[in-house]
Amino acid sequence: MKFRGKIIDVACLNHFTRVVTTISKLTKTCVLRLTPDNLFFILSGKVTNGGVSMWCELLQNNFFDEYQMEGVSSEFNQICLEVSPENLSRALRTVQCAKSVKIKLTKKHCACLTVAAELPTLSSASRVVTHDVPVEVIPRRLWQEFKEPVMPDFDVSIYLPPLKMLKNVVDRMKNLSNFLVIEANMNGEMNLKIQTDLVSVSTHFKDLGNPPWGEDASQDGGPSQRGDPELLAEATVDIRKLQQFLVGQQVNPSKAMCNIVHQNVVHLILLHEDVSLQYFIPAVA
Amino acid sequence: MCRDGRKRESAGQSRPLSVQDRRRAVRGASGRRAGPAVCELLSFGVRFLPVRAALLQQVRVLFFPVFPSGSVNITLTMQKGDQNATFLCRYSIPRGLNFRCKLAIKSVQTVFRSLATLEKTVEKCHIGLDEQKDRLTFTLHCKHGLLKTHNLSYQDSESLEAVFDKDSCANVFRAQPRVLVDTVVHFPTSLEEVTLTLSDERMWVRNHVEDEAERSKAVLTELCLAADEFDHFDIKLHNSITFCLKEFRGLLLFAESTGLPVTMYLDEPGSPVVLSVTDSVLEGNFVLATLSDDHYLRQSNRGADAEQTRPPDDFMNDDMDAYLIAMDSSVAPGPSTADPPSLAAFRKPPAPNYRTRTYSEEEEDGEEDPERPPDKKFRSLFFGSVLPPSPRRSSQPFTTQEVLASDSEEDEAEAD
């Protein structure tokens, strides 16, 4: 098993660091899956996470100037590592001014992802700083837990309002209640509602637009897609989970969507140029 | 602080020490976790010492007098960039008085709280000792005849002297504070201790992890500095010294504010490390305790590192070609029809080359119609069934591959 990647471009390093930092705000540990073309940060939905799951996909070509990996075998050409994204993010953040940054899978006292950066100095020799981030290799028999999530058979799919606006609303609502109802329809309308004994607050968004998945996109969910566009699908979620998702977002995505399966799950999708992030929040009963 | 850089006074005249400078000296001396400061009025100078008995750390800032006598003048030179200014102040002490007291440095700081206000309104500062009432009186003479008096009570104290001898230290180096600040910035702020390993041409700085258990979870950071980054680098003894990083950071802040180079004197593990900031007028010695040798013996092999010549950094010599060749030779051709449970499975039939082509084809399709989101990609990624891991396995033994991390073969056997 080998992995070696090198980032030379400052903008790429910056972007990569921001992605890792976003992931670190969403979860304390996650699985980093390496394939010849992609990197994935995966969090599988478990009771311990509150059922939240995350899938973040990066195109390695857009970040790394050099990238070589050799998986467990030629047949299973992947590497799965359990890592703390916070450690990785901290290591990357200190080396933003580096001439080049290499990330390597190494074996020190345990398996590590070593971030080695060459720093510019006034003297002849450049300074090398290495951060050994401990990781745990995930054996192949557990890989099926980290499969790509299947696109849920959603009832409504809608574009999200600007994330900053959404975050402001959710922040205020969080002070009033722990549970938030997200409802939307295929007419570009979305409502966020909270209800307590004393007060109920709802925020309405209009003209958001709905992603045109098209006929071929809906496999079996045909009837619900072509139903009444005014019909609202809703899901009640733990507001803190939504807030956690919004807090971590540092860059405005080119597309932000939300799929709702009525009273089941909220599926958030953020698309950037070379990164896609999906986040599943289960509905509470 | 004299902003226009004029030399304000010449010897012979006396003026009260401007309050902002007093405050700066106090602030610089305090450090971040200093205990109550010891303020000593001696016959030749004023000494500020924040003392932490546990770590035996002291800051000594000595002011050298111009005219030693019953009435003493202190000269303080402050330097900031190109500007420098000299201030004189006068204090009189009855002859023969050797008095020591202890004041919380925070109390002294409250007297000189807001620099902006001080600069605008305060004309002079008078410090008096009232032995009967056990207090130091700070009187600020402000504009418009306003007098602000602060009475700070003190405690008697014994002066703690750190026993150290800079000249007997085997290893000395001197650097601009910026170099050291740039080094410590790579370590997390929560890190307690740091280890310096010294050799003839290089210095390695590593974070020090106490527990064995911590070691498997903590990020180990290492930084290497070459001798030519230092103003002076004289290493006679190759060893490793561990001391408290938090204190070190605080001291570097002080050194950076003075702009003076920092000299470090190191000796055996267990002997204190001395950081010295020296000027013609100012001498600051910061003494830090270090971990002793028997502590190292308990650690596994860490001490031994210092003795060996460190291997040249393999990242500097990383050769991609060699790496690729190694990769080629270790990967034996396996059955090409194998179906890896990866992204490829969701797109098209396997065979690596075809997979790459397919991906780019799909990308092109997506781009043709910019109106639509990349739904095809999603479809290929998310729709469709999840394939079980292929039951067929390569008969190729795994031992030919260089495994960098633990992945025992019994796991492979169980996966079936």
Side-chain angles (χ1 to χ4, degrees):
Chain A
M1 250 195 303
K2 282 185 186 153
F3 170 61
R4 178 187 173 278
K6 188 168 173 182
I7 305 178
I8 298 176
D9 187 69
V10 160
C12 292
L13 177 60
N14 215 293
H15 194 10
F16 186 68
T17 308
R18 266 185 279 125
V19 173
V20 178
T21 307
T22 303
I23 303 289
S24 71
K25 300 236 163 71
L26 292 174
T27 173
K28 286 209 160 50
T29 54
C30 70
V31 169
L32 171 60
R33 184 168 157 202
L34 303 163
T35 67
D37 295 318
N38 297 84
L39 291 100
F40 303 91
F41 289 97
I42 307 166
L43 177 67
S44 64
K46 289 195 177 105
V47 177
T48 44
N49 304 333
V52 160
S53 61
M54 171 197 71
W55 178 270
C56 178
E57 182 174 330
L58 287 86
L59 259 178
Q60 62 86 348
N61 204 29
N62 288 354
F63 296 94
F64 292 89
D65 292 90
E66 287 165 26
Y67 184 94
Q68 295 108 37
M69 66 129 333
E70 201 182 295
V72 168
S73 69
S74 55
E75 199 182 323
F76 304 103
N77 198 16
Q78 289 178 53
I79 301 174
C80 281
L81 306 165
E82 188 176 343
V83 69
S84 158
E86 171 67 33
N87 284 343
L88 198 55
S89 152
R90 255 199 230 137
L92 288 168
R93 268 182 284 163
T94 62
V95 298
Q96 288 299 295
C97 59
K99 289 197 274 195
S100 71
V101 175
K102 283 186 217 175
I103 306 180
K104 254 187 177 196
L105 182 60
T106 57
K107 187 169 171 65
K108 307 267 166 107
H109 51 276
C110 65
C112 286
L113 261 185
T114 299
V115 176
E118 215 179 301
L119 299 168
T121 58
L122 296 168
S123 78
S124 51
S126 52
R127 214 181 288 167
V128 176
V129 61
T130 57
H131 295 276
D132 293 319
V133 179
V135 298
E136 221 177 276
V137 178
I138 299 191
R140 216 173 51 76
R141 65 189 150 87
L142 297 175
W143 285 7
Q144 58 251 37
E145 284 181 32
F146 309 108
K147 288 251 182 276
E148 302 171 62
V150 176
M151 180 73 114
D153 182 13
F154 51 80
D155 297 303
V156 166
S157 177
I158 191 168
Y159 285 120
L160 287 170
L163 291 184
K164 209 164 178 185
M165 197 185 291
L166 200 58
K167 180 176 170 307
N168 279 336
V169 171
V170 172
D171 279 346
R172 304 284 179 277
M173 287 182 162
K174 178 174 163 295
N175 295 328
L176 297 169
S177 166
N178 278 339
F179 299 104
L180 171 74
V181 176
I182 305 176
E183 48 176 43
N185 64 19
M186 291 305 278
N187 219 6
E189 286 166 1
M190 178 188 247
N191 306 326
L192 300 176
K193 304 196 295 203
I194 54 160
Q195 179 111 36
T196 66
D197 292 337
L198 294 171
V199 66
S200 67
V201 183
S202 61
T203 305
H204 305 265
F205 298 94
K206 285 206 215 340
D207 298 326
L208 291 172
N210 302 84
W213 291 102
E215 301 229 341
D216 39 341
S218 57
Q219 1 145 242
D220 309 321
S224 58
Q225 298 280 327
R226 299 181 211 114
D228 180 10
E230 296 284 338
L231 199 64
L232 289 162
E234 66 163 53
T236 307
V237 296
D238 185 340
I239 202 172
R240 286 164 296 188
K241 300 203 168 72
L242 182 60
Q243 196 202 32
Q244 193 175 23
F245 174 75
L246 293 168
V247 147
Q249 301 313 313
Q250 301 181 305
V251 190
N252 267 331
S254 30
K255 286 200 163 69
M257 296 172 262
C258 172
N259 296 339
I260 304 178
V261 179
H262 188 64
Q263 282 169 356
N264 196 322
V265 70
V266 172
H267 177 206
L268 299 156
I269 308 172
L270 300 183
L271 289 180
H272 301 256
E273 209 175 83
D274 32 33
V275 181
S276 75
L277 174 63
Q278 295 181 61
Y279 202 68
F280 294 82
I281 309 179
V284 291
Chain B
M1 177 77 142
C2 181
R3 289 216 176 82
D4 57 5
R6 278 177 295 131
K7 243 179 147 30
R8 281 240 190 119
E9 296 290 339
S10 56
Q13 288 185 354
S14 70
R15 250 174 35 80
L17 187 65
S18 93
V19 290
Q20 45 267 45
D21 301 314
R22 169 175 301 286
R23 179 152 192 229
R24 283 212 175 91
V26 167
R27 222 193 333 191
S30 71
R32 264 198 281 159
R33 294 204 304 183
V38 177
C39 173
E40 297 186 28
L41 298 176
L42 306 167
S43 55
F44 60 87
V46 177
R47 193 154 70 157
F48 293 95
L49 294 135
V51 173
R52 287 189 62 209
L55 280 185
L56 207 63
Q57 170 194 277
Q58 290 188 359
V59 173
R60 232 187 261 172
V61 180
L62 296 170
F63 298 104
F64 295 92
V66 175
F67 294 118
S69 66
S71 158
V72 185
N73 293 322
I74 301 178
T75 311
L76 173 67
T77 307
M78 302 289 286
Q79 194 173 332
K80 189 174 180 175
D82 303 328
Q83 299 172 344
N84 61 61
T86 311
F87 303 91
L88 293 179
C89 93
R90 175 168 59 108
Y91 67 88
S92 33
I93 294 179
R95 269 197 190 282
L97 176 71
N98 201 358
F99 169 80
R100 284 192 168 89
C101 70
K102 192 155 78 165
L103 284 164
I105 213 157
K106 280 201 155 63
S107 320
V108 182
Q109 278 185 317
T110 54
V111 179
F112 307 104
R113 194 190 296 275
S114 156
L115 261 182
T117 327
L118 292 172
E119 280 169 17
K120 277 188 224 153
T121 59
V122 178
E123 282 164 5
K124 71 177 183 185
C125 168
H126 182 269
I127 305 179
L129 173 62
D130 189 344
E131 264 197 283
Q132 284 169 342
K133 290 192 189 162
D134 284 342
R135 58 190 193 198
L136 270 175
T137 305
F138 289 77
T139 311
L140 299 171
H141 295 251
C142 309
K143 279 188 188 154
H144 312 301
L146 209 62
L147 272 178
K148 290 187 198 171
T149 312
H150 299 258
N151 295 316
L152 302 179
S153 299
Y154 59 76
Q155 297 162 305
D156 287 330
S157 81
E158 289 294 315
S159 176
L160 276 179
E161 295 265 353
V163 176
F164 65 90
D165 180 9
K166 287 196 288 198
D167 300 317
S168 73
C169 285
N171 299 329
V172 184
F173 65 82
R174 187 170 65 244
Q176 293 300 318
R178 189 76 256 185
V179 172
L180 298 172
V181 168
D182 284 343
T183 307
V184 299
V185 83
H186 292 280
F187 296 91
T189 40
S190 58
L191 182 64
E192 289 279 344
E193 284 157 344
V194 79
T195 305
L196 294 186
T197 305
L198 301 161
S199 80
D200 282 328
E201 290 297 312
R202 285 174 162 203
M203 179 169 93
W204 286 269
V205 187
R206 264 183 280 135
N207 57 335
H208 178 77
V209 184
E210 277 285 335
D211 284 321
E212 285 301 322
E214 276 293 310
R215 203 173 290 234
S216 54
K217 287 191 225 132
V219 176
L220 295 181
T221 303
E222 187 178 295
L223 180 59
C224 180
L225 293 167
D228 55 1
E229 298 196 57
F230 295 89
D231 294 346
H232 175 76
F233 197 77
D234 181 19
I235 305 296
K236 295 194 189 70
L237 201 57
H238 296 187
N239 55 16
S240 289
I241 312 284
T242 303
F243 54 85
C244 187
L245 180 62
K246 286 193 170 160
E247 315 294 335
F248 189 55
R249 273 195 225 261
L251 307 182
L252 283 180
L253 262 176
F254 176 68
E256 234 197 333
S257 66
T258 59
L260 296 167
V262 174
T263 312
M264 265 183 87
Y265 298 86
L266 308 106
D267 205 36
E268 300 283 339
S271 303
V273 145
V274 184
L275 275 112
S276 186
V277 177
T278 314
D279 197 358
S280 56
V281 181
L282 182 70
E283 181 192 337
N285 289 316
F286 306 81
V287 183
L288 294 170
T290 64
L291 282 180
S292 63
D293 244 338
D294 48 331
H295 190 98
Y296 275 110
L297 292 174
R298 277 187 269 133
Q299 303 277 318
S300 55
N301 295 330
R302 282 266 168 187
D305 286 355
E307 300 308 320
Q308 305 158 5
T309 323
R310 303 276 294 204
D313 216 344
D314 62 13
F315 295 108
M316 308 292 283
N317 300 333
D318 236 9
D319 189 350
M320 194 169 43
D321 289 341
Y323 183 84
L324 288 173
I325 291 166
M327 255 180 75
D328 281 341
S329 58
S330 64
V331 173
S336 57
T337 48
D339 220 46
S342 69
L343 283 179
F346 295 95
R347 291 199 184 105
K348 287 283 166 83
N353 291 336
Y354 189 47
R355 175 168 28 111
T356 331
R357 254 185 282 132
T358 316
Y359 186 73
S360 53
E361 276 171 24
E362 288 195 337
E363 271 191 320
E364 284 163 22
D365 287 341
E367 281 164 14
E368 275 165 15
D369 192 353
E371 297 295 310
R372 298 182 340 167
D375 52 353
K376 269 197 180 172
K377 243 204 271 186
F378 270 144
R379 180 169 46 122
S380 64
L381 289 171
F382 303 119
F383 286 48
S385 60
V386 166
L387 294 180
S390 163
R392 290 166 297 155
R393 310 248 330 277
S394 165
S395 55
Q396 186 72 29
F398 289 102
T399 47
T400 51
Q401 297 223 346
E402 185 196 318
V403 177
L404 285 176
S406 59
D407 187 33
S408 65
E409 286 174 38
E410 47 185 75
D411 288 338
E412 303 298 325
E414 280 170 26
D416 262 344

